[in-house]
Amino acid sequence: MNKNTRLPHQWMIVSDLDGTLLDHFTYSHQPADATLLDLEATEIPVILNSSKTRDEMLTLRDALQNRHPFIVENGSAIFIPSGYFPQKPEHAQEESGYWVLEPGARRQSILDFLEQDSGDHGAPYLNFAAASIDEIVAATGLSHAQAEQANSRHYSEPLLWQGTEQEKTAFTGRAEAAGFATLQGGRFLHVLGQTDKGHATQLLQQIYQQHSNRPCKLVGSGDGPNDLDMLKVADIAIIVRSPTHAPPTLDDHPFLAITQNTGPQGWADAIQKLLATEFKTAQ
C-alpha cells in the first residue's frame, strides 16, 4: 500500500458501481477514467463496494485498472489482495491470492430459507438460483457471460419481486426473523446476512487505519437506497444523481454533495472538486 505523506489524512474513496461509476443504461465507466487515474497519482485508493459478485468485481476491477481491496454482495465479504497490508488482518482467510473477511452469510443458508419459506408462503419473485441464464439476461440487460458472473454468488440472493408490496413486507419480516437482512437495490430485493455496505466499509477503514500514521478519512459515493448505510459512515457523502429515480434521502449529514450530472460524469465532477480542495497536496 502506498502512502502519500503530503496529505494530512489517509483518504479512502468507497464507491458503488451501477449508476455511480458505471452508467445506468450502458455500464460505461469512460467519463470517470481520467479521474480514476488522477486518484492513483495522488495515491488515494478507490474501494469498489457493490451488490456485485466476486467474479463480476474482478472483471470490472481490471477494466478500471484498480488494484485495491473491494467489497462484494452489499457488504457480505471484503477481498484484500494478499500482501496489500504488511500483515494479514485477523480472521481473514486465504483464497486465490486474496485475504477474505466474511461479515455476511453464505448463500446456501439463504437458499435453504427461501426453499422453506416458499413452501409455506409461495414465491412471488424470480430468484437467481432458480432462474435460467436467459431469464437473468432479460431481467438485467447483461450479456450471457455477465449474467453467469452475476449468478456466481456466495453470500446473497437477488429477488426480482413480482408480487405485491404487502407480500414483500410480509416476506422481509419473515427473512429478518430467520436472521437475515433484506435490501432493496435498484432492480432487485437482496437477501443477505446481517451486514451492509456501511458495516463492511468501517471494517476495512479500521484495517487501513491500523497501517497508517495519519487519520483515515472516508468519502462514500452512491446513487441508491442500498448505498445509504455506506454514505452514513463517510466523512464526505456524495449522492450521484440517477436518470431513473430521485436521490435517496440522507438527513443530517455534515458534508453531503448531490451531483448535477448523472452516473460516472457526476461522480467525476464531485471527485475533481475534492481533488482541488480536500485532496490538495502541500506544495
Side-chain angles (χ1 to χ4, degrees), residues 149-178:
Q149 288 186 332
N151 199 27
S152 63
R153 312 193 78 80
H154 297 285
Y155 307 100
S156 63
E157 183 67 3
L159 312 180
L160 182 62
W161 197 262
Q162 298 166 331
T164 65
E165 285 300 312
Q166 184 177 10
E167 288 174 317
K168 184 193 287 187
T169 300
F171 170 81
T172 57
R174 295 192 300 271
E176 290 167 11

Side-chain angles (χ1 to χ4, degrees), residues 13-37 39 45-50 52 57 60-61 63-66 221-223 227 230 238 240-241 262-269 271:
I13 297 175
V14 181
S15 182
D16 178 48
L17 283 167
D18 288 351
T20 302
L21 268 177
L22 303 178
D23 184 89
H24 179 85
F25 299 108
T26 67
Y27 297 106
S28 171
H29 53 81
Q30 188 276 329
D33 288 349
T35 299
L36 290 168
L37 290 175
L39 291 169
V46 175
I47 310 300
L48 308 179
N49 189 352
S50 172
K52 293 184 183 299
M57 295 285 266
L60 285 165
R61 194 167 166 266
L64 294 166
Q65 301 181 54
N66 185 292
S221 56
D223 73 306
D227 297 315
M230 172 179 65
I238 298 169
V240 176
R241 197 172 294 277
T262 62
Q265 185 61 62
W267 182 90
D269 293 344
I271 298 300

Side-chain angles (χ1 to χ4, degrees), residues 87-109:
Q87 61 192 52
K88 183 175 74 171
E90 187 178 7
H91 306 305
Q93 304 173 40
E94 294 270 5
E95 181 183 313
S96 303
Y98 290 91
W99 294 331
V100 185
L101 294 164
E102 298 182 341
R106 284 279 175 169
R107 186 188 195 187
Q108 189 55 54
S109 66

Side-chain angles (χ1 to χ4, degrees), residues 57-161:
M57 295 285 266
L58 288 176
T59 298
L60 285 165
R61 194 167 166 266
D62 286 345
L64 294 166
Q65 301 181 54
N66 185 292
R67 59 184 181 82
H68 302 291
F70 58 96
I71 300 169
V72 306
E73 299 189 44
N74 286 311
S76 295
I78 302 165
F79 286 80
I80 302 167
S82 297
Y84 185 86
F85 296 108
Q87 61 192 52
K88 183 175 74 171
E90 187 178 7
H91 306 305
Q93 304 173 40
E94 294 270 5
E95 181 183 313
S96 303
Y98 290 91
W99 294 331
V100 185
L101 294 164
E102 298 182 341
R106 284 279 175 169
R107 186 188 195 187
Q108 189 55 54
S109 66
I110 298 167
L111 296 179
D112 291 343
F113 159 72
L114 291 176
E115 182 178 7
Q116 179 177 348
D117 187 75
S118 64
D120 295 336
H121 302 280
Y125 52 77
L126 175 70
N127 68 297
F128 272 31
S132 68
I133 294 300
D134 285 341
E135 287 175 315
I136 296 174
V137 167
T140 61
L142 298 171
S143 69
H144 272 73
Q146 290 169 330
E148 288 176 353
Q149 288 186 332
N151 199 27
S152 63
R153 312 193 78 80
H154 297 285
Y155 307 100
S156 63
E157 183 67 3
L159 312 180
L160 182 62
W161 197 262

